Amino acid sequence: MFRLRGICPFSWKVFWFRPFSCESLVIQMSKCTDEEQLFDLIERNKATLSEEQVGYAFSVLWRLHQQKTSSFQNSGCVRDHPKFPTLYNLTTNKIELMSDSTLVNVLHITQRFDMNVLSTFSACLADQHLCFSPLMGKIADIVNRNLETIRDLRSLSVLMANISFLISQDFQEKLLKKTELLLDTVGSPEVNTVGKILQFLRNIKCSHYPLLERCNRALVGSRSPLDLDSISNILSLYHSLQFYSFEFMKMAKKRLTEMIPLFDDPEHVVKLFVALGPVAGLQEKRQLKSTLLLLSEKLSSQQALAVVEAMGAMESRNSHLIKRIVAVLHTHFENYRPVELLRITRALIALHFQSKEIFVKLRELLCSYLKVSVQPREMAILLCALSALPSPGLDKAVVARIDAVLPQCDLSVLGDFATSVLRWIHCDQMYSGTVIGKQLKLLQKLQHCGHQRLKESKNLHLLWEELKFVTGDWFHEVLLEETIATLQHLMDEINYKNVDRISSFISKTNYLSTSLLDRIASVVVQHIEKIHPFSILAIVLPFSTLNYDPPGRDEFFGACMQCLHSYLDTLDPLILVFLGFSLATREYFPEDLLKSIFNIQFLARLDSQLEILPSSLSTRVQFRLMELNRAVCLECPEFQIPWFHDRFCQQHYNKDTGIMNGAQQEMYKMLAEALGGVSCVRASALSPYYYTVDFECVLDKRKKPVPYGSHNTTLGKPAGTYWESDPQKVGSSLPPGSERIVFEFLDSKAFCANIFHLKGKSAMKKRHLEILGYRVIQIPHFEWNSMALSTKDARVDYLRQHIFRDGKS
């Protein structure tokens, strides 16, 4: 059957018991000799027409249509007939009651008219939750067969969104190309049309940059101001697609801020709070929270959920509003689905909310769902929420349920299970000091299933569909090596369509696979004209992070810059900052990129963007800009770009007291012994351009340590001590022939995950310190903690050898 009968169980009986009097109207329809007679009959009886009669009317209409000499012209006449909307509206209103055979007749007839009629028919099916029905599959087939002739972007966008769950990857790509073509040829598409295209991308889980760029350009350039519903919908879709546009956010923030005084009802205030709250200024946030506080008792379950998530994103500390919203959530706990309970749990934890009663109720609900759940993804969601709450560990029944579904789990679900189990193990160790054997056995089974899953992977696309949702440390500690081996086995399938996704995954793993990176570079160089500029940052990132240059390094980076050249004035400012820093890490400084960043107009745009970014991301962007500014000043003085981060660095480093941890204090004492006293070592020293180094010492021309003055400290850097940001002045206060030495202890984070290869930022820091005139002694953790250096004397000798040996390190 074409749909679940449970949607409307009575509709299957209605046709068998319909009074015989209905037949007279059907006979009258069958005797109609032209469309005018049929439409008059429908108009007179529209109040009493049954769904069966409506379907029959379409059959008669199609018979009359076929009798005409010009089918194409006649379909237009029928569609444009002034009484056709009556039949059209009757069909829409009665579609829920129509039998499958009637629906098929309507479908066959509507497809003969135009895509506008077919799109509305598909929307009616979608409204009845029939997106997965074979009937929708027939619509998808019609669209596929007629795709070349479709010219109406609005109708196509509706059809795309409704058939998106049933189409193949090849059909998806055909629709993407067709939509790009139509967007380039039509004028300014309607906002609703853009929304449907974005909905299609979300449904197929594809952040297709060429289409996203065109949609965003249409939204930003829209002549009519967007309303609240449109902005809220677009922001939600962008979030799902992990797409960010500074220009759209700037426009949306201005428009939303103007709307604050306009609404006082829960529906619109909640939408405004969710959309504007995370990017609003302090005054606007206070206004929104005050209004929401007054309306809190009127919120529905979904509105309260949306508010508490937005408050978590805003890092709100308004305890009064939090308690009010949680009270509303509490009254609706029974109505939330498992994934919604997980969202509530995460939001409450982000808000640092504490309530034994609320957490107990949440735990009871989650456990009750878990007892009956049979879907691996849903079980993983429930376990994730339970493990985040203060709760006892896994009982035997839960372990048995997980064990039973393991063969059905993909890599992301296995990772979620393992993350939850590890949380419980950690809690058990904290509170009881023991680890339950059943939990360890479950981890072993999860590891075995993960290895089996990877061994069976034969297709890169299918493997990526699992990898892109993998989170947590367990995967990287247990399955990473085999995952990389699988990627190496499938690397011939890396192409211009997936190269950015694979690159992004590799950069997150910190695993240096030269064969994979070489393959990525080769694909980029060969197919750079097919790669979108939005993908370049993700492609460059693993080379920067892992400190690796592929064969043909200059050709690779040159191709990336060629792709970006025409977008330097339009890309989001933060993307350019991150890109410039990533390239600088690899000692690549394209002049046109640097000129695009280091100018007044760009920095003004960046300042505007920083105002609407989350505080953590804003700080990260500012640091990357400072680090890029430092790299350009040190490595490319010929560009004459000034250093303008003194005040920023002083504000940041004044907050850092430079307190040493236990390991650093131990190394400090050993350095003092190797150099002849604590006065010869400076801890937490600050270089020109504000590099912080663990320790510093000075040797004169006879290789004798030079004592510092009485201002030195053993527990941190002296407050307010800063060097001039001029590399020429580094050694200006030293006796002739002296050298300044810095010591850097490198922990595991400074190296790649699989080999002791220095990562990009640590290598760049060493390079810069050497440019500044320092001799840099880097002490890797694997040497310092080795058996050879297990005694104090061995470590002191190790330091002496590095300090007093001839030549540079």
Side-chain angles (χ1 to χ4, degrees):
M1 302 304 293
F2 289 124
R3 55 182 175 165
L4 295 175
R5 298 190 178 193
I7 293 175
C8 192
F10 64 86
S11 65
W12 297 95
K13 301 176 182 179
V14 70
F15 307 117
W16 300 99
F17 300 100
R18 187 166 300 285
F20 185 74
S21 59
C22 293
E23 185 176 329
S24 59
L25 188 56
V26 171
I27 293 174
Q28 291 179 58
M29 290 183 188
S30 67
K31 294 179 180 179
C32 292
T33 57
D34 58 39
E35 293 89 348
E36 193 67 38
Q37 292 179 5
L38 179 63
F39 284 135
D40 285 342
L41 190 62
I42 293 169
E43 186 71 30
R44 292 197 304 269
N45 295 277
K46 63 182 179 182
T48 59
L49 280 174
S50 70
E51 61 277 2
E52 189 179 39
Q53 291 163 344
V54 170
Y56 187 76
F58 268 101
S59 299
V60 174
L61 197 60
W62 176 239
R63 174 174 59 79
L64 296 172
H65 170 81
Q66 288 179 309
Q67 293 173 358
K68 302 294 181 180
T69 55
S70 175
S71 297
F72 179 78
Q73 293 177 358
N74 186 58
S75 65
C77 295
V78 171
R79 184 177 64 250
D80 297 332
H81 194 285
K83 294 181 181 179
F84 180 72
T86 301
L87 179 59
Y88 194 68
N89 292 334
L90 285 169
T91 306
T92 301
N93 295 333
K94 295 180 179 293
I95 194 168
E96 181 180 356
L97 301 176
M98 289 183 178
S99 67
D100 290 338
S101 59
T102 305
L103 286 172
V104 170
N105 286 336
V106 173
L107 174 62
H108 282 310
I109 296 164
T110 54
Q111 69 169 301
R112 300 303 197 280
F113 295 145
D114 69 356
M115 288 296 148
N116 182 39
V117 178
L118 191 64
S119 69
T120 304
F121 185 66
S122 73
C124 294
L125 294 178
D127 290 341
Q128 301 304 321
H129 308 291
L130 297 174
C131 288
F132 292 94
S133 69
L135 194 59
M136 192 69 86
K138 286 182 174 291
I139 294 176
D141 180 61
I142 294 168
V143 175
N144 189 29
R145 286 188 280 107
N146 295 276
L147 189 58
E148 291 297 321
T149 62
I150 296 176
R151 297 291 180 268
D152 184 359
L153 181 59
R154 190 202 64 79
S155 300
L156 179 61
S157 67
V158 174
L159 287 163
M160 287 165 59
N162 293 329
I163 67 176
S164 55
F165 298 105
L166 300 176
I167 60 179
S168 67
Q169 187 178 359
D170 288 341
F171 190 13
Q172 289 175 10
E173 293 178 2
K174 288 170 63 178
L175 287 171
L176 292 173
K177 291 179 181 178
K178 181 67 176 183
T179 310
E180 288 177 39
L181 178 63
L182 291 179
L183 279 171
D184 289 339
T185 54
V186 301
S188 298
E190 297 178 358
V191 173
N192 289 340
T193 298
V194 175
K196 287 296 182 182
I197 295 171
L198 295 174
Q199 184 182 336
F200 168 74
L201 292 175
R202 182 197 61 187
N203 291 349
I204 66 172
K205 300 174 183 178
C206 174
S207 296
H208 185 69
Y209 286 139
L211 204 48
L212 282 171
E213 181 197 359
R214 288 170 170 83
C215 288
N216 189 68
R217 192 189 307 139
L219 292 170
V220 173
S222 177
R223 296 178 181 176
S224 56
L226 303 185
D227 59 22
L228 176 58
D229 289 339
S230 297
I231 294 175
S232 178
N233 183 46
I234 297 299
L235 288 176
S236 175
L237 290 167
Y238 275 1
H239 178 74
S240 300
L241 292 166
Q242 296 183 323
F243 180 74
Y244 178 84
S245 165
F246 164 58
E247 295 299 333
F248 179 78
M249 279 304 308
K250 184 173 67 172
M251 179 191 72
K253 180 185 177 182
K254 181 178 182 296
R255 182 78 182 108
L256 293 170
T257 302
E258 295 168 352
M259 296 180 189
I260 292 178
L262 303 181
F263 302 114
D264 58 4
D265 61 290
E267 179 184 357
H268 291 97
V269 170
V270 168
K271 286 184 178 179
L272 197 56
F273 183 83
V274 172
L276 179 59
V279 298
L282 291 176
Q283 183 179 349
E284 289 80 15
K285 285 181 179 179
R286 280 195 291 266
Q287 286 181 266
L288 290 169
K289 289 177 181 177
S290 298
T291 306
L292 202 55
L293 198 57
L294 296 173
L295 298 172
S296 58
E297 295 181 357
K298 300 179 182 179
L299 300 183
S300 68
S301 60
Q302 292 303 311
Q303 288 169 346
L305 173 57
V307 169
V308 77
E309 285 192 299
M311 293 180 72
M314 296 161 61
E315 300 177 348
S316 174
R317 294 297 177 262
N318 188 323
S319 58
H320 191 35
L321 181 58
I322 292 173
K323 288 178 181 178
R324 287 282 192 92
I325 300 302
V326 172
V328 178
L329 292 170
H330 190 211
T331 61
H332 296 288
F333 269 170
E334 304 285 348
N335 301 323
Y336 289 117
R337 296 177 291 118
V339 68
E340 292 170 336
L341 291 175
L342 173 61
R343 289 161 58 189
I344 291 171
T345 302
R346 287 175 171 170
L348 294 181
I349 291 172
L351 292 169
H352 305 291
F353 179 79
Q354 296 293 328
S355 170
K356 183 177 179 180
E357 178 188 2
I358 294 295
F359 287 156
V360 167
K361 181 63 175 178
L362 271 174
R363 187 166 63 245
E364 290 175 354
L365 277 172
L366 292 166
C367 289
S368 65
Y369 277 123
L370 189 58
K371 288 178 182 178
V372 297
S373 178
V374 294
Q375 298 178 5
R377 172 58 60 189
E378 185 177 79
M379 292 177 66
I381 288 170
L382 293 167
L383 282 172
C384 184
L386 275 170
S387 66
L389 294 170
S391 61
L394 297 167
D395 58 32
K396 291 182 179 179
V398 172
V399 172
R401 292 185 65 77
I402 296 174
D403 199 10
V405 300
L406 286 184
Q408 307 170 42
C409 297
D410 62 22
L411 292 171
S412 62
V413 173
L414 293 172
D416 290 342
F417 279 153
T419 300
S420 300
V421 173
L422 286 169
R423 281 184 193 153
W424 271 306
I425 289 176
H426 179 66
C427 289
D428 289 343
Q429 286 179 315
M430 285 180 62
Y431 295 109
S432 65
T434 60
V435 178
I436 301 176
K438 63 187 178 186
Q439 296 176 346
L440 293 178
K441 288 181 180 179
L442 182 56
L443 279 179
Q444 292 173 351
K445 290 181 179 179
L446 288 166
Q447 180 177 346
H448 174 73
C449 289
H451 285 303
Q452 287 297 117
R453 190 86 182 176
L454 288 167
K455 286 180 181 178
E456 295 168 2
S457 296
K458 305 298 181 185
N459 181 282
L460 183 59
H461 174 74
L462 296 178
L463 176 61
W464 171 250
E465 288 300 311
E466 298 185 27
L467 290 178
K468 68 181 179 181
F469 296 115
V470 169
T471 58
D473 294 334
W474 175 82
F475 177 86
H476 293 286
E477 293 172 359
V478 175
L479 296 179
L480 179 57
E481 190 167 346
E482 190 155 350
T483 301
I484 296 296
T486 304
L487 288 174
Q488 290 171 339
H489 179 68
L490 300 172
M491 69 179 181
D492 288 343
E493 297 180 37
I494 297 176
N495 54 44
Y496 70 91
K497 297 176 184 177
N498 59 27
V499 66
D500 57 336
R501 289 170 278 172
I502 302 301
S503 298
S504 180
F505 175 78
I506 292 173
S507 65
K508 293 174 184 176
T509 66
N510 289 323
Y511 193 105
L512 179 57
S513 168
T514 57
S515 59
L516 280 175
L517 292 180
D518 290 348
R519 169 64 181 176
I520 288 169
S522 174
V523 168
V524 170
V525 170
Q526 292 177 28
H527 302 285
I528 191 61
E529 72 283 351
K530 299 177 183 178
I531 296 174
H532 196 276
F534 291 177
S535 301
I536 295 300
L537 176 59
I539 290 170
V540 168
L541 203 55
F543 297 90
S544 166
T545 302
L546 301 173
N547 190 27
Y548 178 73
D549 284 336
R553 165 191 184 276
D554 291 341
E555 184 182 12
F556 167 65
F557 289 126
C560 291
M561 284 309 304
Q562 172 195 332
C563 180
L564 284 170
H565 185 73
S566 60
Y567 280 76
L568 292 177
D569 295 330
T570 56
L571 279 174
D572 277 359
L574 69 87
I575 298 296
L576 284 184
V577 170
F578 285 139
L579 184 61
F581 172 77
S582 296
L583 292 172
T585 305
R586 297 308 316 124
E587 303 179 70
Y588 192 80
F589 297 92
E591 188 173 0
D592 53 349
L593 174 62
L594 297 176
K595 287 183 177 179
S596 296
I597 294 174
F598 293 106
N599 65 70
I600 299 300
Q601 292 78 14
F602 175 86
L603 295 175
R605 286 184 67 218
L606 181 61
D607 284 340
S608 299
Q609 185 172 25
L610 294 177
E611 293 176 1
I612 62 176
L613 292 177
S615 58
S616 57
L617 180 56
S618 176
T619 301
R620 186 177 164 213
V621 174
Q622 292 177 70
F623 268 95
R624 286 292 180 264
L625 180 65
M626 181 274 291
E627 291 167 328
L628 176 59
N629 187 197
R630 177 170 59 197
V632 174
C633 289
L634 289 173
E635 300 192 60
C636 300
E638 67 275 12
F639 290 160
Q640 296 184 337
I641 292 174
W643 166 252
F644 55 90
H645 278 89
D646 267 323
R647 181 179 298 178
F648 171 80
C649 291
Q650 289 173 16
Q651 290 173 347
H652 170 72
Y653 288 111
N654 273 333
K655 298 176 184 178
D656 182 7
T657 60
I659 300 300
M660 293 186 291
N661 59 35
Q664 288 173 321
Q665 290 188 32
E666 180 186 15
M667 186 177 291
Y668 176 82
K669 294 174 183 177
M670 293 181 184
L671 274 170
E673 183 174 338
L675 291 165
V678 294
S679 63
C680 296
V681 187
R682 171 174 283 167
S684 299
L686 203 60
S687 80
Y689 292 101
Y690 299 89
Y691 269 122
T692 303
V693 295
D694 294 335
F695 306 99
E696 178 193 85
C697 73
V698 177
L699 300 183
D700 63 19
K701 63 181 179 181
R702 295 185 300 274
K703 301 299 180 184
K704 299 294 184 183
V706 177
Y708 288 93
S710 58
H711 62 273
N712 189 35
T713 177
T714 61
L715 295 179
K717 66 179 182 291
T721 300
Y722 295 98
W723 287 91
E724 294 286 343
S725 301
D726 185 349
Q728 301 301 321
K729 297 183 180 181
V730 175
S732 60
S733 60
L734 299 178
S738 300
E739 68 172 342
R740 198 182 295 273
I741 304 172
V742 293
F743 302 85
E744 282 283 288
F745 180 76
L746 303 177
D747 60 14
S748 59
K749 294 179 181 178
F751 297 92
C752 297
N754 54 319
I755 58 175
F756 295 131
H757 176 78
L758 204 59
K759 288 165 63 176
K761 281 196 71 174
S762 297
M764 184 167 71
K765 182 176 182 179
K766 182 177 187 291
R767 189 168 72 243
H768 288 175
L769 289 171
E770 289 174 343
I771 291 173
L772 288 167
Y774 292 95
R775 174 153 68 94
V776 183
I777 298 176
Q778 293 181 323
I779 305 172
H781 69 96
F782 52 87
E783 290 185 6
W784 188 254
N785 297 322
S786 65
M787 288 297 295
L789 301 182
S790 59
T791 64
K792 176 186 173 182
D793 290 342
R795 287 182 170 178
V796 172
D797 288 341
Y798 173 87
L799 293 173
R800 285 197 182 107
Q801 289 173 16
H802 279 78
I803 295 169
F804 298 111
R805 70 183 181 183
D806 293 333
K808 304 287 184 182
S809 65

